[in-house]
Amino acid sequence: METRYKTFTGLMTRLMRSIRRIKADEMADFQLKGPHVSCLYYLYDEGDMTAATLCEKCGEDKAALSRALETLGEGGYIRRGETRYKNLISLTEKGRGICEEIARRIDSVVAEAGAGLSEDERAAMYRALGTICQNLEAVCERKREEA
């Protein structure tokens, strides 16, 4: 059991470290930071959404997302409704333009990261990770209820 824990947590930590490093490196070309990738990507891929929805999709905490949105707004990449809360956030033309390049880079990195995996292996990996994620979220919820 201890070996499974070490292997799983070690691999997850290495994955997240690599993802953060790649995001930071890729966004440096645009004078933005890694956390901005998810915000821009989800707005580009799924369209306008509220900050709460974007926060959920990005997996960022509210404070980090708020800072990211502030930077993206100041840079002219996004626009918000008249008030910041419960209004839709959308990409500007400048934001859409940068997102096309970001999406291209994401596709390239994802293809490179998945090299050597068959479609069946990839599907099995995503199913397994989805199950592990749901199980860990259930553990967190149970612990919250017990507290």
Side-chain angles (χ1 to χ4, degrees), residues 101-121:
E101 177 61 21
I102 290 170
R104 189 188 63 71
R105 291 181 185 198
I106 286 171
D107 289 344
S108 174
V109 170
V110 168
E112 195 171 342
L117 291 175
S118 70
E119 286 304 313
D120 288 343
E121 290 170 322

Side-chain angles (χ1 to χ4, degrees), residues 48-64:
D48 301 354
M49 61 185 76
T50 64
T53 301
L54 190 57
C55 188
E56 185 178 310
K57 296 223 179 251
C58 292
E60 295 283 345
D61 64 66
K62 290 178 185 177

Side-chain angles (χ1 to χ4, degrees), residues 11 18-19 25 32 42 48 91 94 138:
L11 288 172
S18 294
I19 290 168
D25 290 349
L32 294 170
Y42 282 109
D48 301 354
L91 291 172
K94 180 179 180 181

Side-chain angles (χ1 to χ4, degrees), residues 3 17 19 26 31 41 52 55 57 61 74 78 85 91-92 106 112 118 126 130 132-133 139-140 142 144-145:
T3 301
R17 186 179 303 131
I19 290 168
E26 293 295 331
Q31 290 78 47
Y41 179 79
C55 188
K57 296 223 179 251
D61 64 66
E74 289 170 358
I78 64 167
Y85 304 100
L91 291 172
T92 62
I106 286 171
E112 195 171 342
S118 70
Y126 287 135
I132 290 168
C133 187
V139 168
C140 290
R142 189 180 73 243
R144 235 186 328 269
E145 291 171 358

Side-chain angles (χ1 to χ4, degrees), residues 23-137:
K23 283 180 172 183
D25 290 349
E26 293 295 331
M27 292 309 283
D29 292 344
F30 304 109
Q31 290 78 47
L32 294 170
K33 298 188 188 240
H36 302 124
V37 173
S38 294
C39 292
L40 292 169
Y41 179 79
Y42 282 109
L43 288 169
Y44 179 73
D45 190 55
E46 298 187 22
D48 301 354
M49 61 185 76
T50 64
T53 301
L54 190 57
C55 188
E56 185 178 310
K57 296 223 179 251
C58 292
E60 295 283 345
D61 64 66
K62 290 178 185 177
L65 183 81
S66 181
R67 287 189 300 273
L69 292 175
E70 191 67 31
T71 300
L72 292 170
E74 289 170 358
Y77 299 105
I78 64 167
R79 91 178 118 258
R80 303 186 205 202
E82 292 181 23
T83 63
R84 291 181 184 214
Y85 304 100
K86 296 189 180 181
N87 282 304
L88 293 179
I89 299 164
S90 58
L91 291 172
T92 62
E93 285 305 312
K94 180 179 180 181
R96 245 183 284 297
I98 199 173
C99 284
E100 290 170 5
E101 177 61 21
I102 290 170
R104 189 188 63 71
R105 291 181 185 198
I106 286 171
D107 289 344
S108 174
V109 170
V110 168
E112 195 171 342
L117 291 175
S118 70
E119 286 304 313
D120 288 343
E121 290 170 322
R122 187 179 342 278
M125 176 194 66
Y126 287 135
R127 272 194 312 276
L129 285 173
T131 299
I132 290 168
C133 187
Q134 288 174 343
N135 292 343
L136 290 174
E137 288 170 345

